[in-house]
Amino acid sequence: MTADLTRLEELVESFTKQTVVVLADFVADRFVSGEISRVSREAPVLILRHRETELLPGGGANATNNLIDLGARVFPVAAIGDDEAGRALTDYFRKKNVDVTGWVRAKGWSTPVKTRYLAGWTHTTRQQVLRVDREPQTPLSAAIQKLLLKKASQKIKRSSVLLASDYGFGSVTAASLKSLRRGAGTKLKITLDSRYCLGDYRNSGITAATPNESELESMHHARVNNGATDVEKLGQQTLKSLHLEALIVTRGKDGMVIFERNGKPKHIPVYGSDEAADVTGAGDTVIAVFTLALGAGATYSEAAELANYAAGIVVMKRGTATVRREELLAALRNEATGKNRTF
């Protein structure tokens, strides 16, 4: 690795002193696990004997959860529905002593829920066999979006970094980020993870974005056929068209590439194994670590290196998972001493 590992450790050690505002689409990730009982007579499907149901923060809520487990003070701003999933997310974060005054409960609107069904035999690894998504049937109202913007404007007075996580449910818009940039000025760093609408954020004052390879393809209506060559071409175009200071493109087993103004693309090889156990929510971990590192004073390259370490850790965990500050420090220290990882 090209980064100074001692410097990276110092940055991670300072995570507990950082404050991050998150404007995000919150999602509830529900995992329903069962043991395979038999094959149904009614249809060629497995019958599962229910073992447990677990609800975890997903989407922008997962990015928030990563920031918390990395030791940061977090002010999340998000819309949730007046429903079971919304209450479950509220209870989850209150137990972690998170300030939820930035949340808006939208009546008549549903909290997005992704339900994954996991099947396995006794003492075997459970595998996902089905996913069912429940999405809001109506868009967030203009009044709710206005209230979210107001709350975000209040919160960023207490931080120099804003993480925006757009999963397409309306809590984050190009107009809202443009307004926040106008109000906060150049001192505020805004990082963006946009699942479907990266191209909509032109001229919105974004500092950096962290798309994966497929999101980059979607933005440019192009295919990455020649690997790194095509990624570099599309990445440079994105950096320029969105007027970014930096861009991270995550590439799964091929690591990531960071682009900066007036510099050549830097390829960072994947940390750890290239055989991921589960990539669910890995992008949330990447933007959380990247944003937190910027708040701690990291360069874009240093922040990308740290995000790469964190990604390598989290993809070896099953389900929607986070990286703890202690795990990230252990990875850096093991790298420095040449020891194997011991998470």
Side-chain angles (χ1 to χ4, degrees), residues 89-321:
L89 287 175
T90 303
D91 291 343
Y92 182 96
F93 282 109
R94 278 178 174 162
K95 288 177 181 178
K96 287 196 166 187
N97 298 316
V98 176
D99 184 335
V100 297
T101 58
W103 298 24
V104 177
R105 194 176 297 277
K107 294 184 178 180
W109 189 79
S110 299
T111 305
V113 179
K114 298 179 180 179
T115 302
R116 297 169 175 89
Y117 291 87
L118 309 177
W121 304 102
T122 304
H123 308 305
T124 64
T125 301
R126 294 167 294 172
Q127 300 292 331
Q128 185 178 158
V129 295
L130 178 68
R131 192 177 107 178
V132 178
D133 291 0
R134 188 193 73 184
E135 300 182 350
Q137 298 301 304
T138 57
L140 276 179
S141 69
I144 293 294
Q145 290 180 329
K146 184 177 180 179
L147 183 54
L148 289 171
L149 177 58
K150 179 180 178 181
K151 287 179 177 290
S153 298
Q154 294 169 343
K155 299 297 184 185
I156 60 175
K157 295 176 182 178
R158 306 163 74 174
S159 176
S160 61
V161 284
L162 170 71
L163 187 161
S165 179
D166 173 17
Y167 273 77
F169 297 114
S171 289
V172 186
T173 66
S176 64
L177 295 189
K178 187 174 184 179
S179 178
L180 291 170
R181 164 63 68 205
R182 189 165 52 244
T186 57
K187 70 178 182 65
L188 179 69
K189 291 186 181 297
I190 301 176
T191 60
L192 172 69
D193 180 11
S194 179
R195 179 59 57 91
Y196 307 109
C197 303
L198 184 60
D200 291 351
Y201 287 88
R202 292 181 177 88
N203 302 314
S204 296
I206 307 302
T207 306
T210 61
N212 59 36
E213 196 170 286
S214 64
E215 289 163 354
L216 202 66
E217 289 177 326
S218 178
M219 174 182 173
H220 295 281
H221 306 288
R223 298 291 296 175
V224 174
N225 295 317
N226 295 317
T229 301
D230 286 348
V231 170
E232 288 189 8
K233 179 181 178 181
L234 296 180
Q236 294 283 25
Q237 291 177 3
T238 305
L239 187 76
K240 184 177 180 180
S241 65
L242 296 184
H243 306 291
L244 302 173
E245 292 184 14
L247 175 77
I248 288 181
V249 179
T250 56
R251 306 189 63 213
K253 65 180 179 61
D254 294 316
M256 59 177 63
V257 188
I258 179 167
F259 300 82
E260 295 184 66
R261 290 181 182 175
N262 304 318
K264 294 181 179 180
K266 177 182 177 182
H267 293 261
I268 305 176
V270 65
Y271 169 69
S273 173
D274 60 1
E275 296 293 333
D278 193 336
V279 298
T280 303
D284 303 320
T285 298
V286 167
I287 193 171
V289 174
F290 181 71
T291 305
L292 188 50
L294 292 181
T299 64
Y300 293 116
S301 181
E302 290 169 339
E305 295 271 14
L306 283 173
N308 187 59
Y309 276 103
I313 296 169
V314 80
V315 297
M316 300 311 295
K317 302 180 180 184
R318 296 199 175 271
T320 307

Side-chain angles (χ1 to χ4, degrees), residues 50 52 66 73 128 146 159 296 313 339:
H50 181 266
E52 63 178 350
N66 272 272
R73 187 181 186 189
Q128 185 178 158
K146 184 177 180 179
S159 176
I313 296 169
K339 294 180 181 180

